[in-house]
Amino acid sequence: MSGNGTTADDDPLQTAVWRLRSRACWADAAALLPTDTPRATLQRATLLVERCLYTERGWEAAEGALRTAEARALSDEERGAAACERGQLAYAATLHGVRDRADEARAALGRAAALIAPGAPGRALLDFRRGLLAENLTHSPQAARAAYRRAHAGATAQADPLLLSFTWRHLAGLALREGELAEARHGFTESLRLREELGYLVGTAPALFSLAETEPEPEASRLREEARRLFRLLGGVPTWLAEHLTPPTPGAATA
């Protein structure tokens, strides 16, 4: 979830990769990257792991790319980043019910924490992913909030707007669960603003939907309809959003 390719001074390759990634074309983006350097193989793995999380498919391709990245890693930082991706892939498989890999996810992120020093560029992303595990697998909102706050501080220090869009969103989600509507609305608004500024289309529909949960009518319906439009435009990605955006059948009973 790094912001590679989102700034004006990035090279043309990274700009092309970013544009494809942001439009849910992860395989096409990965195909642009060379396969002979640790950095490129890790970025390729990152793209394909992200595809699994958003589409619930491509697991074998992600596993293969990740094994290559792990084999090519030379430094502790590179090995830590590969372990972080291993943890994310195991988390996604568990979250989507493909296979219970929660123990693998925790172990991989633990390895990453031992390899990525506090304050290093990859630490904020690692903290964020540890928050995801705490929130969605361990069901520990307090631990999740602490991890998200560390990630938020790190992303702010590193000027990583894409990661900030995720930390704002997940902190807002926790606030909403606790009935802190104003705090949740602020966080979801910031997340949506960042994603729109970056052109991160694949993450914009979820941001619109989340903000709609905090707004009164008719604004809530307007936001959901915009989310629905983007969801259809991207071919039904992210898949988990479908159950929230599918209009009810006319005449169907409601609970």
Side-chain angles (χ1 to χ4, degrees):
M1 290 181 187
S2 71
N4 286 346
T6 65
T7 57
D9 58 349
D10 279 329
D11 63 51
L13 173 61
Q14 289 299 327
T15 299
V17 167
W18 167 253
R19 287 175 177 169
L20 289 167
R21 174 191 179 188
S22 67
R23 289 159 177 76
C25 300
W26 294 279
D28 292 337
L32 295 179
L33 295 167
T35 59
D36 56 350
T37 67
R39 180 179 178 182
T41 54
L42 178 62
Q43 188 179 7
R44 185 172 185 273
T46 298
L47 290 166
L48 297 180
V49 168
E50 188 173 88
R51 178 175 68 166
C52 293
L53 183 64
Y54 277 80
T55 69
E56 302 179 55
R57 60 185 178 86
W59 303 97
E60 290 186 7
E63 287 281 1
L66 188 50
R67 285 194 295 269
T68 299
E70 289 167 336
R72 292 284 176 87
L74 299 175
S75 66
D76 281 351
E77 183 178 357
E78 290 165 354
R79 284 188 286 269
C84 189
E85 293 304 324
R86 171 65 63 188
Q88 181 72 351
L89 183 60
Y91 163 77
T94 306
L95 186 71
H96 288 311
V98 176
R99 183 159 59 91
D100 186 351
R101 298 173 59 180
D103 288 344
E104 180 187 351
R106 281 188 284 268
L109 295 186
R111 288 197 304 274
L115 291 164
I116 302 174
R123 190 73 185 204
L125 178 59
L126 171 60
D127 285 333
F128 174 73
R129 289 176 170 175
R130 297 179 93 175
L132 292 177
L133 259 68
E135 180 181 3
N136 298 315
L137 301 189
T138 309
H139 306 292
S140 176
Q142 289 185 338
R145 181 180 291 103
Y148 291 149
R149 284 176 173 168
R150 291 194 302 272
H152 191 83
T156 300
Q158 295 164 19
D160 187 339
L162 182 58
L163 183 54
L164 276 172
S165 81
F166 281 93
T167 56
W168 273 121
R169 172 173 158 75
H170 283 267
L171 285 167
L174 293 176
L176 184 61
R177 290 184 190 180
E178 296 178 352
E180 300 292 339
L181 191 62
E183 182 181 344
R185 183 183 295 118
H186 175 69
F188 288 140
T189 298
E190 286 299 300
S191 178
L192 176 61
R193 177 186 64 80
L194 288 166
R195 292 180 180 193
E196 288 181 334
E197 288 177 357
L198 291 168
Y200 189 56
L201 288 183
V202 73
T204 300
L208 287 162
F209 172 79
S210 293
L211 182 57
E213 296 296 283
T214 68
E215 294 286 0
E217 295 294 351
E219 179 65 8
S221 290
R222 186 193 70 78
L223 290 167
R224 289 191 186 98
E225 183 53 38
E226 180 64 11
R228 194 173 291 117
R229 184 188 69 80
L230 280 174
F231 178 74
R232 290 195 298 262
L233 179 67
L234 294 173
V237 177
T239 53
W240 54 263
L241 202 56
E243 62 182 290
H244 302 290
L245 294 180
T246 302
T249 303
T254 57

